[in-house]
Amino acid sequence: MDGVTQDHDAGGSARARHVAIIMDGNGRWAAKRGLPREAGHRAGIEALRRVVRGAPDLGVEMLTVYAFSTENWRRPAEEVSALMRLLVEFLESETPELAAQGVALATIGDLSVLPQESQAALRRALASTAGGGRLLLTLALNYGGRAEIVRAAKKLVRMVQAGDVSLDDVDEAVFARLLDTHAMPDPDLLVRASGEERLSNFLLWQSAYTELWVTETLWPDFGMEHLQQALRAYAGRDRRYGSHS
Ligand code: FPP
């Protein structure tokens, strides 16, 4: 699939096939209840489970979720290790159910610096869900849009130096194929929980024409009613991709 040209039918379809989510607000959810931040992340995983279960019935074919950003390493060490532990727990407990639901797992981001245990759990989960054809669930892990673009630029320079591609042939499609998201179309809709109206370094290249929908709801409180609301709002949008009306 071509990440650049896909979905560029002006006036586009009313159905969001690919939805990206910034699962924000776990910490505030926990603080409001006097709980540790880890409890917020656990509740965030429950919200993710609900959305993964329900999304295919709403016509969603791909979900890409921001699980751990390149900036999240700056959090206190205990919170980083809790998130890594929760990731492994999630993968180990959820993989059989995901496989049964026809969910294929994928990742974007630089996994090489994740703990070995997380990398091994990811390899197992990806292998055992590889056949899933109902939903592609992509976890963004140690992901940052700028870091991804820099990695792609480095690959491109190496390819040009090796003579595998000529500089004159480099265009947006060639570049997009070097991004972590090369195998999927750009997101149609980006949902952000907890009210902030920014991309926070998520899918910077891919979101050029993505419709944005922000809810005040904190991620752990997010449910199918919110996804339905987002998809209804999306269906009413007029996607022009920079062309005239
Ligand atoms: C933001 O909440 C959320 C994250 C840092 C990551 C999202 C992680 C999860 C939903 C759980 C882990 C996911 C998997 C798949 C294991 P925040 O802590 O920034 O909330 P705040 O802005 O209220 O402090």
Side-chain angles (χ1 to χ4, degrees):
M1 271 185 280
D2 186 328
V4 172
T5 53
Q6 193 88 20
D7 289 349
H8 276 214
D9 48 339
S13 78
R15 182 163 69 88
R17 294 177 58 220
H18 183 185
V19 178
I21 308 184
I22 300 180
M23 308 185 286
D24 197 13
N26 298 344
R28 274 162 284 171
W29 184 94
K32 270 172 50 180
R33 288 161 179 78
L35 295 170
R37 294 178 63 83
E38 179 173 347
H41 295 313
R42 278 191 187 280
I45 290 182
E46 283 309 312
L48 179 60
R49 279 201 186 96
R50 291 195 288 276
V51 168
V52 168
R53 262 190 217 121
D57 291 337
L58 302 179
V60 175
E61 297 167 29
M62 288 155 277
L63 264 184
T64 301
V65 298
Y66 210 2
F68 193 89
S69 76
T70 45
E71 288 71 37
N72 287 154
W73 296 108
R74 295 192 207 123
R75 295 193 174 202
E78 314 87 80
E79 185 173 354
V80 170
S81 46
L83 280 164
M84 292 299 151
R85 206 172 48 245
L86 287 173
L87 171 67
V88 173
E89 256 182 60
F90 169 80
L91 294 169
E92 283 174 355
S93 69
E94 219 51 26
T95 299
E97 160 123 29
L98 292 174
Q101 288 169 16
V103 177
L105 270 175
T107 62
I108 54 174
D110 177 8
L111 304 186
S112 67
V113 294
L114 295 186
Q116 286 303 323
E117 191 198 5
S118 314
Q119 294 186 39
L122 280 163
R123 276 193 297 273
R124 286 193 297 272
L126 263 58
S128 44
T129 61
R134 200 154 175 260
L135 182 76
L136 177 68
L137 172 62
T138 302
L139 305 177
L141 290 164
N142 188 28
Y143 176 85
R146 288 183 174 181
E148 178 193 33
I149 290 168
V150 169
R151 271 188 279 117
K154 285 183 173 171
K155 282 186 225 163
L156 181 60
V157 169
R158 278 189 216 107
M159 285 165 65
V160 171
Q161 283 173 341
D164 295 338
V165 64
S166 133
L167 202 49
D168 292 336
D169 293 335
V170 176
D171 58 13
E172 292 181 14
V174 167
F175 194 79
R177 279 198 284 275
L178 301 174
L179 294 168
D180 297 353
T181 50
H182 57 87
M184 59 177 108
D186 292 341
D188 299 302
L189 173 66
L190 177 93
V191 169
R192 181 159 188 159
S194 95
E196 317 289 353
E197 295 179 338
R198 56 175 172 265
L199 288 178
S200 297
N201 206 12
F202 193 37
L203 300 174
L204 295 183
W205 170 284
Q206 299 84 346
S207 294
Y209 291 102
T210 298
E211 297 292 327
L212 307 180
W213 188 82
V214 175
T215 175
E216 291 295 325
T217 304
L218 302 176
W219 175 251
D221 291 326
F222 196 96
M224 287 312 293
E225 68 277 24
H226 302 100
L227 184 62
Q228 269 165 335
Q229 231 181 309
L231 293 171
R232 268 199 301 275
Y234 173 84
R237 304 269 179 97
D238 178 19
R239 299 188 79 188
R240 292 195 301 276
Y241 303 98
S243 73
H244 59 80
S245 50

